[in-house]
Amino acid sequence: MEFPQVVMQRYATKTFDGKKVPQEKFAQLQELIRNAASSYNIQPWRIKVVTDDATKKALAPHAWNQPQITTCSHLLVFCADTELEDNIDMLAKAGAPEQYVAAMHGFAEGLTGERRLAWAQRQVYLALGNAINGAKALGLDSCPMEGFSPEEFAKVLKLPANIVPTTLCPIGYASDAPKPKVRFPKEHVFF
Ligand SMILES: Cc1cc2nc3c(=O)[nH]c(=O)nc-3n(C[C@H](O)[C@H](O)[C@H](O)COP(=O)(O)O)c2cc1C
């Protein structure tokens, strides 16, 4: 499928048919997500993959019992990782030039408190974009979701404080049908 078709055919799926996505296909999707762009290439994301029914059931009430949570194949919990220094160290080990590493450390030091989380979360949404379009390109369906309690998800998934649930992306095979897209006109969007 060409990218324009991917964008036009992707839609926010409300219910999945429960069928499991084969491991090789999911691995392809993981590659598309992992290769998302991020500022400085710091990649401040960790993505918890939930496939077992018991955990999905435990999470559902903390997402308004939206049916996507329990009917999907793989529930991706996109988390922002605020330990930026660890990622910068990994980039240094991977061969990033010394000057660039120093610039990244300076940048990270300047990001304090809420600004650090907000910055990391902005990057997470780029990975989410790859997930929803990547899924469609691979013949899968998805739904970007913010209707959940990040605090309760962190508790159920026993996440450390630096891994902050930011957005969800259930993946699977839709059992509903897309509705016509409602989008503002080009003249409004572009000025
Ligand atoms: C960040 C984000 C959060 C969203 N949260 C939810 C959600 O919690 N539940 C849901 O059913 N849809 C959710 N949506 C889906 C939007 O409602 C949907 O993308 C929008 O209505 C446009 O429809 P389309 O994606 O089918 O074209 C979310 C979308 C985005 C981008």
Side-chain angles (χ1 to χ4, degrees):
M1 199 189 284
E2 297 291 329
F3 191 67
Q5 290 171 291
V6 167
V7 171
M8 299 315 287
Q9 290 184 21
R10 179 216 58 81
Y11 73 98
T13 297
K14 304 299 175 194
T15 54
F16 296 89
D17 67 3
K19 213 173 93 193
K20 295 289 172 206
V21 172
Q23 182 48 40
E24 318 81 69
K25 194 161 276 273
F26 184 66
Q28 286 179 292
L29 180 61
Q30 285 175 302
E31 284 307 283
L32 298 181
I33 297 170
R34 197 172 67 81
N35 280 285
S38 62
S39 179
Y40 283 102
N41 198 25
I42 289 178
Q43 308 163 58
W45 45 60
R46 300 293 302 280
I47 301 158
K48 178 75 181 168
V49 182
V50 179
T51 52
D52 72 286
D53 288 344
T55 309
K56 286 179 192 166
K57 251 191 195 163
L59 291 171
H62 307 301
W64 310 107
N65 286 311
Q66 294 185 75
Q68 296 96 323
I69 304 293
T70 47
T71 60
C72 71
S73 168
H74 292 61
L75 176 64
L76 304 183
V77 182
F78 280 74
C79 302
D81 183 355
T82 57
E83 286 288 349
L84 305 181
E85 287 74 10
D86 288 354
N87 284 19
I88 297 168
D89 289 342
M90 282 197 284
L91 290 169
K93 279 195 191 116
E98 231 170 78
Q99 255 186 327
Y100 192 67
V101 171
M104 284 192 282
H105 273 303
F107 170 75
E109 269 166 37
L111 273 182
T112 53
E114 285 174 9
R115 285 178 56 231
R116 175 174 286 229
L117 175 60
W119 178 84
Q121 290 185 313
R122 286 200 293 275
Q123 314 311 312
V124 167
Y125 281 90
L126 289 168
L128 174 70
N130 276 28
I132 60 177
N133 286 315
K136 185 77 289 176
L138 294 169
L140 303 171
D141 296 296
S142 69
C143 185
M145 295 177 75
E146 278 182 335
F148 73 105
S149 162
E151 295 79 16
E152 296 302 325
F153 265 56
K155 271 189 221 161
V156 171
L157 298 173
K158 298 185 172 63
L159 301 176
N162 61 300
I163 305 296
V164 182
T166 296
T167 181
L168 310 176
C169 190
I171 301 286
Y173 300 95
S175 64
D176 62 359
K179 297 202 174 80
K181 286 210 183 292
V182 178
R183 294 295 191 268
F184 298 129
K186 196 162 71 180
E187 296 71 27
H188 173 80
V189 175
F190 302 96
F191 70 102

